[in-house]
């Protein structure tokens, strides 16, 4: 079994600086998916990593809890985002989350679910902490790319870099896991590197790199 936590500990020093179009595209996708937070909402980031997205979210929300199981990644995040309303917790998101029922307005999965074998339990943990009307926003490495044999890879100069460990999740799996957790699918989208701008992408680069989904917790569904 892949040592995903150990791989991220090793990657933490270079994660932010190595060339990584998926990471950069995800940052832009997040900014398009997240609704106006108006400094009022509570956000939970599952797999907050080095705090790349936390740094953008923190000034916009009332409270933010970042969960991650890699001490190395969280060390970078804690250095990067120092605000009393932001809390980073060392936690494996496959275990029940250390958060109160119905306490979050937005839950985010960004580039983490490719490392999770079974989506349903994790979606149930997320749904439990969501308030009625809350949103679950997902931006993940596209299954089409996983089918090509690609996935998160630590590039530390050597060729090829170390694979972290990737599970394939087709769109239908996300839909089924959301529905099992009592969440309603509102929208999906595919994103390509064209969003990053720069030189004209070739046909391969125009294959979607990220799949995003937005789920809502219905008002009439009690916490799981
Ligand atoms: C590719 S990074 C993405 C980080 C951040 N969301 C971003 O978009 O920059 C994936 C993160 O998920 C974390 N992760 C993977 N599996 C996890 C699990 N089971 N529980 C908690 N964190 C996990 C890793 O430690 C890593 O920080």
């Amino acid at each position: 079994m892949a040592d995903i936590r150990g791989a991220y500990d090793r990657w933490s020093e270079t994660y932010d600086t190595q060339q990584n179009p998926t990471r950069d595209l995800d940052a832009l996708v997040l900014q398009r998916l997240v609704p106006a937070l108006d400094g009022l909402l509570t956000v939970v980031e599952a797999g907050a990593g080095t705090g790349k997205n936390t740094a953008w979210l923190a000034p916009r929300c009332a409270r933010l809890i970042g969960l991650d199981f890699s001490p190395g990644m969280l060390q970078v995040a804690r250095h990067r985002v120092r605000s009393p309303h932001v809390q980073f917790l060392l936690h494996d998101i496959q275990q029940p989350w250390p958060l109160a029922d119905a306490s979050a307005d937005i839950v985010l999965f960004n580039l983490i679910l490719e490392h999770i074998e079974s989506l349903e339990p994790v979606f149930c943990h997320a749904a439990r902490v969501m308030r009625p009307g809350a949103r679950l926003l997902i931006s993940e490495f596209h299954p089409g790319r996983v089918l090509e044999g690609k996935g998160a890879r630590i590039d530390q100069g050597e060729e090829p870099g170390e694979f972290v460990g990737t599970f394939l999740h087709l769109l239908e799996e996300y839909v089924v896991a959301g529905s099992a957790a009592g969440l309603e699918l509102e929208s999906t989208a595919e994103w390509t590197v064209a969003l990053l701008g720069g030189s004209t992408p070739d046909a391969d680069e125009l294959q979607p790199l990220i799949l995003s989904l937005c789920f809502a917790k219905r008002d009439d569904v009690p916490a799981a």
Side-chain angles (χ1 to χ4, degrees), residues 25-85:
L25 182 59
D26 170 72
L28 297 184
V29 170
L30 170 98
Q31 293 171 23
R32 279 161 178 74
L33 294 183
V34 171
L37 301 173
D38 298 329
L40 296 172
L41 302 186
T42 295
V43 175
V44 176
E45 253 195 290
T50 59
K52 169 201 93 199
N53 293 334
T54 322
W56 183 83
L57 293 160
R60 295 172 167 79
C61 64
R63 183 167 179 231
L64 191 151
I65 302 106
L67 307 175
D68 202 290
F69 74 172
S70 158
M73 296 294 273
L74 279 190
Q75 192 180 6
V76 179
R78 289 192 172 110
H79 220 261
R80 182 187 229 152
V81 186
R82 299 162 190 252
S83 295
H85 72 295

Side-chain angles (χ1 to χ4, degrees), residues 40-44 62-63 65 100-107 125-136 182-183 215-223:
L40 296 172
L41 302 186
T42 295
V43 175
V44 176
R63 183 167 179 231
I65 302 106
D101 291 358
S103 56
D105 300 292
I106 307 274
V107 175
H125 297 322
R128 180 187 63 77
V129 306
M130 290 166 70
R131 297 186 217 282
R135 296 290 188 280
L136 171 64
L183 302 173
F215 289 92
K217 181 162 177 170
R218 291 202 315 267
D219 288 350
D220 56 346
V221 176

Side-chain angles (χ1 to χ4, degrees), residues 4-5 8-9 11 15-16 20 23 26-27 45-53 67-71 73-74 91-94 109-116 139 152:
I4 292 168
R5 181 199 308 245
Y8 273 105
D9 278 339
W11 198 359
Y15 181 82
D16 290 321
N20 183 343
R23 173 201 61 207
D26 170 72
E45 253 195 290
T50 59
K52 169 201 93 199
N53 293 334
L67 307 175
D68 202 290
F69 74 172
S70 158
M73 296 294 273
L74 279 190
H91 187 73
D92 182 338
I93 65 151
Q94 296 168 110
F109 290 123
N110 288 76
L111 305 181
I112 179 173
L113 295 176
E114 74 174 90
H115 304 308
I116 301 294
S139 165

